[in-house]
Each structure stands twice: as structure tokens, then as C-alpha cells.
Amino acid sequence: MTRDLGLELDELKKQLNELQRLVQVNGIETHRKSVIASDHADPDGEGIDDFGHIYYSGQYRNSAIKYKWKAQEQPISSLLNQDGEKLAKIVSALGNKQRLDILRSVLQGPVTGTDLVERLHMGTTGQLYHHTKALIGADLLIQEERGGEYSLPAHRVLPVLLLLAAAADLADTGTYMDMAEARDQAGLYLGVEKPRYDPHLLVWALIENSILEHQSGYCSQIDIFLHDHRTVTIADNGRGIPVSGLSGHDKPNVQAVLTDIQRPGLSAPYFAAGGEKGISVAVVNALSYQLAVEIRRDGHVYRQDYKHGIPQTGMRVVGATEETGTSVTVETDPDLFAADFELPILEKRAGEIQAAYPNLTIRVH
């Protein structure tokens, strides 16, 4: 039988290429093959400091390449002693949404500039060029010759993934910083200080949401309970804020309502005279010293507690009930509100609301 040496060589080449793709090699290859990056830990434990070490490893595969990293370590002292100004520049440079979107797209596999423009809805290639030029200059992006596909340098893949992982773990801090800024800029919501703010504005904002529920056909009664000079509860018999997760959120719906100041459509804002921004339920939470919400729905009573807008507990079941509705208890912050709640003011407002909405019962206790 006559052998076809050319065909056999081609087959051997295919097998060698497949082996090269599967075999894990030390170091980093910049070709589209399996990649391992490894830093070796000190086996003798020398250099261990009082703060300890952080260890990380992982594997990742996109449409064109597979990465696998052996366990790596960083002394925590070296992380804590980095140049603060340099760190701030790095975080700031990567904090641009479009640059992050480019990196996340490229992590899914090499992609052309045209595809990036379409995928990220940039409109023009000019915006893309501006950001890709900066990323290439920072050694965070590479491009094939003659306008080819973009991809990440192999040695940058793990740091970018770790950055995204850290951002995911710190995602709620952005919300809480919004809460802190709301406290620092209370005048934008509450108007002019005389000498401090009117605490009744918080009550009016909460009532506004119960009225919205009434207008939707679900709430027929609002109760205002004045506990002491600084604590009040607004309760209604509406549907109760859903406790299941919002689409795209990993936190309960009620927590999103009470913490996402920037998210529109979660509640009906009340506009105070002189205030530039509406007072939503989330703003009430941010400006309160303490706030507790109880949800009655689905046969259960759910409760969650906050302080300065930050959750102090998870959403927990505290009872059983056949009723539905929402109750919010607010304790005002003496740093922001000098005056106390006054029964005559609450009763006057209740009368005005009753007159405006004859089918809605509102009572002050």
C-alpha cells in the first residue's frame, strides 16, 4: 500500500496543535492557546507579616482562548502600603463606563471595532477610537494589525477579572455613598433650614406613597401613629411592597425602594417648598436616624431595620397575617431636625388629605 506522507504530516500537525492547545505551560503565552500564569509562593513562609496574605487563582475561557492560573499570593502589607495617588489614578482611569464596557466585551472573546460600536451603541467609531487608544496605551488592550480584532493582553486578564469581582462585592457601596451624600445635601430635598429642617416633611413623603397606592385602587386607609416627639409610624392597607428581588437586582424589592436614591420610578417623591429634588422613600431613609419597615403580604409579616439609610438586618419574617400593607417607622436625626413632631400639624394635614380623597380614610393616633 502506498503511503501519502503529505496527508500524514498534515494529520500530525493537527494533533500537535491540539496537544499544544490542551497542554498547560508555565508562564504566559500571548497566542490563542491554553495559558497558565503563576507566581510561586515562598515555601519557607519568609516575609510573612502581621497582616497576612491574600491568595487567588482561577480559570476562564472565552470563545478563543482558555486561561488557568495557579494559586498566587500578595502580602496584604504591600497592598496597604501602595501609593494612594497612583491607586486613585488607576481606579479613576478604569472608572469610565465605556472603557469598562469595552473590556467586558473583549473578555468574552476577540471582537472587531465595528462590532464594538454596534454592541455598545456608541453611534460613531470616534468614541471607540478615543477609548481604545487610551486602553492600548495603558497596556490593557491589543489589536491585530491593519484594524483587526481587539483582545486583552494575557497578563492583564486576571487583574481585570479580579477588579470586576471586587467591584461586584462593593456594588452596594455606591448606593450607600448616595445615601451619605443625601445627608450632606439635605437642603436640596428639604428646602431652607429654620434653623434646622421640618421633620413633618418626612411624614408627608411617606404618605405620598400610600396615596399613590390608593390612586392605584389598593389602599383605603392610612394610619399615623405618633409614638414620641421624634418617632412616628405611617401604615397603610395597600398591597405591601414586594419583597422578592427586582429584575437585575440581587436584593429584595423593598431594599431597592429604600436605598436606591438614583433609581426612578420606585416611589412617588414629595416636593418640599424650596427643595430642588423630590423626597422619595429612599431619601426619607437616608435622612432618618433609624427606620424600620414592615411588609404584610403573602401571609407573612416581613421586617427590615436601617440606620442612616444602611441596612442593619436582612429581610426577615417576624409574624403571620392575613392582612396586606406597608408600615414605616421613622426616628428623626437630631443633627438634621431640631423640631419635634407635633400632633396638631399631623391632624391638620390628615384633614386636608381626607378632604382631597374622600374614599381614603386617614387617622392620627
Side-chain angles (χ1 to χ4, degrees):
M1 183 177 68
T2 305
R3 297 175 61 183
D4 189 333
L5 296 178
L7 287 175
E8 291 182 18
L9 284 173
D10 289 341
E11 184 61 27
L12 283 172
K13 285 181 181 179
K14 288 181 180 179
Q15 293 178 14
L16 284 172
N17 288 336
E18 180 64 13
L19 283 172
Q20 193 172 19
R21 187 182 69 82
L22 295 174
V23 171
Q24 299 174 344
V25 295
N26 280 329
I28 298 176
E29 293 185 13
T30 57
H31 308 293
R32 295 180 189 174
K33 303 167 187 172
S34 295
V35 179
I36 294 181
S38 65
D39 288 339
H40 298 287
D42 183 356
D44 299 323
E46 294 179 2
I48 294 178
D49 54 70
D50 292 338
F51 293 109
H53 288 60
I54 184 168
Y55 299 88
Y56 50 92
S57 64
Q59 55 184 327
Y60 161 73
R61 178 187 294 124
N62 63 29
S63 61
I65 190 169
K66 178 180 178 181
Y67 300 86
K68 186 172 183 179
W69 300 274
K70 290 183 179 179
Q72 302 180 55
E73 69 170 314
Q74 282 269 16
I76 292 178
S77 60
S78 69
L79 300 179
L80 299 178
N81 291 325
Q82 293 183 83
D83 186 297
E85 186 174 346
K86 187 177 294 185
L87 283 176
K89 286 183 178 179
I90 294 170
V91 173
S92 176
L94 292 175
N96 181 283
K97 180 183 181 300
Q98 288 188 317
R99 291 178 190 172
L100 283 175
D101 286 344
I102 291 170
L103 292 176
R104 290 190 299 171
S105 293
V106 171
L107 276 169
Q108 298 172 43
V111 61
T112 66
T114 302
D115 289 338
L116 277 175
V117 170
E118 182 177 346
R119 186 182 299 178
L120 303 180
H121 309 291
M122 287 187 168
T124 65
T125 55
Q127 294 181 44
L128 177 69
Y129 175 77
H130 170 74
H131 293 299
T132 54
K133 183 178 179 181
L135 291 170
I136 291 172
D139 193 29
L140 284 167
L141 203 64
I142 54 177
Q143 185 181 24
E144 294 179 348
E145 293 182 2
R146 298 179 182 177
E149 294 178 321
Y150 292 98
S151 59
L152 252 72
H155 66 288
R156 296 298 195 189
V157 173
L158 179 59
V160 171
L161 290 173
L162 290 174
L163 176 69
L164 294 176
D169 281 345
L170 294 171
D172 57 358
T173 59
T175 297
Y176 301 153
M177 288 179 72
D178 288 340
M179 306 292 275
E181 288 179 1
R183 292 178 58 79
D184 290 339
Q185 301 173 349
L188 295 178
Y189 303 94
L190 301 174
V192 181
E193 298 180 72
K194 298 178 181 178
R196 292 182 184 165
Y197 303 105
D198 179 3
H200 299 92
L201 295 174
L202 303 183
V203 176
W204 310 157
L206 294 174
I207 291 176
E208 196 72 25
N209 281 272
S210 297
I211 291 175
L212 182 66
E213 188 77 344
H214 169 70
Q215 291 174 324
S216 299
Y218 297 101
C219 172
S220 62
Q221 181 173 318
I222 302 173
D223 290 280
I224 305 172
F225 298 91
L226 182 59
H227 303 292
D228 56 41
H229 296 304
R230 291 194 175 276
T231 308
V232 67
T233 296
I234 310 301
D236 65 42
N237 66 344
R239 290 167 291 183
I241 303 172
V243 296
S244 58
L246 279 173
S247 175
H249 277 63
D250 58 358
K251 56 187 174 185
N253 195 335
V254 64
Q255 185 170 323
V257 170
L258 285 163
T259 58
D260 289 2
I261 290 178
Q262 305 297 336
R263 187 182 178 95
L266 288 174
S267 60
Y270 174 81
F271 286 88
E276 298 177 22
K277 298 182 179 181
I279 308 171
S280 65
V281 176
V283 173
V284 172
N285 191 17
L287 301 183
S288 300
Y289 177 68
Q290 292 187 117
L291 181 146
V293 60
E294 287 192 354
I295 311 296
R296 302 178 300 282
R297 63 178 293 149
D298 305 325
H300 299 291
V301 180
Y302 303 89
R303 180 184 172 103
Q304 190 173 26
D305 296 287
Y306 295 81
K307 183 176 182 179
H308 288 163
I310 309 302
Q312 303 298 299
T313 66
M315 181 61 63
R316 61 198 191 278
V317 176
V318 296
T321 183
E322 296 301 319
E323 299 177 353
T324 62
T326 302
S327 300
V328 179
T329 300
V330 168
E331 179 183 346
T332 59
D333 191 333
D335 290 338
L336 293 174
F337 302 95
D340 299 329
F341 291 117
E342 297 182 23
L343 184 60
I345 294 178
L346 295 174
E347 291 176 330
K348 181 176 182 295
R349 181 62 174 165
E352 294 169 350
I353 293 171
Q354 185 74 79
Y357 301 94
N359 295 324
L360 175 63
T361 300
I362 180 166
R363 299 181 299 189
V364 181
H365 308 269

